Amino acid sequence: MYEIDFVEFPSSSAAGSSGFFEKAFGWTATAYGPTYTDVQSGGAVSFGFQQDTAQQTAAPLVTIRTDDLAQARASVEAAGGIVTVEPFSFPGGRRFHFREPGGAELAVWSPDS
């Protein structure tokens, strides 16, 4: 199973960005520390704001959910993708980033069991 379910945006203020969406649309924000906020819109795709410049991507980061992170990595590499960030843990799961042949960076994540 592979499905797009999350988009991460670079932000100069994670709290400011998420607060805007709470006020404008009534969506729910959860802060995971001072530099990262998750926003639930009630739809199939949620999103987050990354304020930490050391972890920000240059553009929004589309994130694909899977049940098998190792298999996803093998599939990405077999199709010509290049892993740009090795798998790492975060609250709720693990993910890695990759660049597809056209240059876009995306991520694949797997929830904790």
Side-chain angles (χ1 to χ4, degrees):
M1 172 190 85
Y2 297 104
E3 67 180 13
I4 294 172
D5 74 341
F6 193 79
V7 179
E8 183 176 286
F9 295 90
S11 175
S12 62
S13 171
S17 294
S18 62
F20 168 82
F21 286 95
E22 283 182 308
K23 287 179 184 176
F25 302 113
W27 295 344
T28 303
T30 302
Y32 291 101
T35 63
Y36 197 90
T37 305
D38 179 74
V39 176
Q40 298 293 315
S41 66
V45 177
S46 57
F47 55 100
F49 294 99
Q50 177 59 265
Q51 182 179 325
D52 185 341
T53 56
Q55 295 185 28
Q56 285 180 343
T57 54
L61 180 71
V62 173
T63 305
I64 302 163
R65 180 184 173 145
T66 185
D67 293 328
D68 189 337
L69 199 63
Q71 178 58 50
R73 181 183 181 150
S75 294
V76 163
E77 291 176 329
I82 297 169
V83 173
T84 58
V85 176
E86 291 294 325
F88 64 94
S89 296
F90 63 92
R94 290 181 51 77
R95 79 180 192 198
F96 70 90
H97 297 198
F98 69 94
R99 193 169 312 283
E100 52 85 20
E105 185 173 4
L106 296 93
V108 178
W109 83 283
S110 179
D112 287 337
S113 299

